[in-house]
Amino acid sequence: MTYMAQRVSNFGTTIFFEMTDLANRHQAVNLGQGFPNFPGPDFLKQAAIEAIQDDVNQYAPGSGRPRLREAIAHKMARFYGLPVDPDSEVTVTHGATEAIFATILGLVNPGDEVIIFEPYYDSYVPAVQIAGGVPRFYTLRPPNWAIDRKELTALFSDKTKLILINTPHNPTGKVYSEDELSLIADLCQTHNVIAVTDEVYEHIIFDGAKHVCMATLPGMSTRTVTISSAGKTFSMTGWKVGWTIASPELTQALFRVHQFMVYCGAAPLQEGVATALQAPHTYYTDLAAMYESNRDFLANALLKAGLTPIMPKGTYFIMADIGQLGFPDDVTFCRHLTAEVGVAAIPPSAFYHNPADGATLARFAFCKTRETLEEAARRLVKLKHSAASRKLTMSN
Ligand code: PMP
Ligand code: GLN
């Protein structure tokens, strides 16, 4: 007899717990789980400290502190020209993770189909399953991760309720182009489907690429739930301040879940983020420039180690092809890399419904100090040698 409910019994443990634990046990440089190992900006910390000292310490309104909702609406107008009503179209959530759950639980009925691009962020599928929805997968393939019109069109049916898009995309670093988003927008309108766009890496974008907000495309503002959070933009993943932007009707649906799941998020942190979002343009461009330089440094280190990096256009992750090294799969490779080379990475098979599709790849995070990346680069040099001696032991 097991006490665990059937709805969670096949979930397993998230790969992020598993790899961070392995990295800690081997004192490996952790390029696995994506969290910055440098401090976030002082102006953000200071604003939260002041809010605590000013006794902003009781429950926030369920939809979030008014100053934060206004700052979010203002930011959407400033960066994307999207008009947003802070009272009826914004909900402040406990990170983007809660936003994803509340949106899916608030909109998906049992039997509804949800289109998911894979590799996917690992909370999407459990959220759809808990709602009783049926995931339908579109597999993005390296090195371009491009979308084929015919293949995507074939996934839409009368049962499709929702399509989940993540741009810039974790783990591939793909930034969906305006053409790709327009294709999705057309399909959503033809089939009466809602687009849920996870844009948590919206400000981490390289090589002059442009982040396009799905909600700004013609006909999409009333059928899009835009999700973002402060964690990546302000290098404070532990704060868990996220939000949704959606029409009043869609907002009400997700709010019904949000109110009973968390009621509200942490009030003083919301005040901090309200101040932070007003940072000048240079804060955002400096962030992207810093990450672009980290990307180039790590890509070079991976190349020298015998891996083939697939250059990301956004996010703080880089995928690399591990095919040449002779490992049976990505999990064996990442365990070997962590234990024998002292660098942790994430095996991307965790982000595919068919793990074999991720078996020749590994994901590395570059949201780390330059010293950490340099130490990883020094260790990665050992990879070729350790992989060769492993092969030798296996064949004996
Ligand atoms: N979506 C994606 C694509 C992510 O990479 C993350 C990172 N954890 C999240 C959502 C969750 O964001 P948060 O920490 O704000 O819950
Ligand atoms: N978003 C981060 C990643 O993809 C961490 C997520 C988590 O730990 N849940 O690595």
Side-chain angles (χ1 to χ4, degrees), residues 25-358:
R25 274 193 278 131
H26 290 280
Q27 292 174 345
V29 179
N30 191 354
L31 304 188
Q33 191 180 23
F35 61 89
N37 72 339
F38 47 84
D42 277 340
F43 59 77
L44 175 54
K45 293 184 198 166
Q46 206 46 48
I49 289 166
E50 276 165 27
I52 290 172
Q53 283 169 343
D54 289 348
D55 261 323
V56 182
N57 295 315
Q58 307 304 333
Y59 294 126
S63 57
R65 299 273 301 171
R67 249 188 93 234
L68 177 54
R69 280 185 278 119
E70 273 155 30
I72 291 165
H74 188 258
K75 189 181 88 78
M76 295 311 278
R78 163 156 80 126
F79 281 91
Y80 310 116
L82 184 73
V84 172
D85 175 22
D87 294 327
S88 62
E89 297 183 322
V90 179
T91 307
V92 177
T93 58
H94 191 72
T97 309
E98 192 240 322
I100 292 160
F101 255 78
T103 302
I104 290 172
L105 285 176
L107 291 169
V108 172
N109 281 312
D112 284 350
E113 293 187 357
V114 177
I115 299 175
I116 296 177
F117 292 90
E118 60 177 4
Y120 44 74
Y121 183 58
D122 76 337
S123 76
Y124 295 172
V125 174
V128 170
Q129 287 170 339
I130 282 185
V134 182
R136 301 265 281 140
F137 297 101
Y138 183 97
T139 310
L140 298 164
R141 304 209 180 266
N144 297 325
W145 318 107
I147 293 174
D148 178 76
R149 171 183 292 267
K150 248 187 164 166
E151 213 183 310
L152 182 62
T153 306
L155 279 184
F156 280 77
S157 77
D158 291 351
K159 293 190 184 150
T160 312
K161 180 70 179 277
L162 205 141
I163 181 165
L164 264 166
I165 301 135
N166 170 214
T167 182
H169 181 248
N170 174 10
T172 66
K174 172 186 174 70
V175 174
Y176 283 64
S177 70
E178 189 152 357
D179 281 353
E180 288 172 324
L181 292 172
S182 296
L183 164 66
I184 297 169
D186 286 350
L187 289 166
C188 285
Q189 288 171 73
T190 307
H191 295 273
N192 193 20
V193 167
I194 296 156
V196 177
T197 61
D198 174 346
E199 306 183 8
V200 297
Y201 300 99
E202 61 186 306
H203 296 293
I204 304 177
I205 203 146
F206 316 129
D207 304 329
K210 185 175 161 222
H211 172 68
V212 179
C213 224
M214 175 64 104
T216 61
L217 297 187
M220 290 307 286
S221 67
T222 51
R223 57 170 68 251
T224 301
V225 180
T226 306
I227 292 173
S228 195
S229 85
K232 330 287 167 186
T233 304
F234 297 105
S235 311
M236 301 281 214
T237 59
W239 277 34
K240 300 296 281 187
V241 177
W243 54 84
T244 60
I245 296 159
S247 68
E249 189 191 346
L250 294 176
T251 294
Q252 275 188 32
L254 67 92
F255 189 82
R256 292 201 177 173
V257 179
H258 167 78
Q259 63 181 343
F260 292 129
M261 190 145 59
V262 296
Y263 183 71
C264 69
L269 301 188
Q270 293 186 17
E271 285 297 310
V273 173
T275 301
L277 286 175
Q278 295 161 38
H281 234 77
T282 48
Y283 171 79
Y284 294 90
T285 46
D286 288 352
L287 178 84
M290 179 270 288
Y291 277 131
E292 188 169 325
S293 155
N294 278 6
R295 174 200 66 170
D296 293 345
F297 179 88
L298 182 59
N300 198 25
L302 294 172
L303 257 180
K304 283 191 184 141
L307 299 164
T308 310
I310 306 169
M311 282 310 240
K313 290 276 181 208
T315 77
Y316 44 51
F317 303 111
I318 190 163
M319 290 277 247
D321 195 316
I322 58 167
Q324 321 82 301
L325 290 169
F327 287 83
D329 56 48
D330 59 329
V331 175
T332 315
F333 170 79
C334 287
R335 289 203 177 124
H336 173 91
L337 191 72
T338 308
E340 305 300 329
V341 179
V343 177
I346 296 287
S349 54
F351 308 142
Y352 289 87
H353 81 288
N354 176 9
D357 284 326

Side-chain angles (χ1 to χ4, degrees), residues 29 31 293-295 297-298 301 365-378 380:
V29 179
L31 304 188
S293 155
N294 278 6
R295 174 200 66 170
F297 179 88
L298 182 59
F366 51 84
C367 43
K368 307 293 168 187
T369 61
R370 190 49 72 93
E371 294 73 46
T372 302
L373 294 176
E374 280 166 359
E375 179 56 27
R378 273 192 290 277
L380 280 167

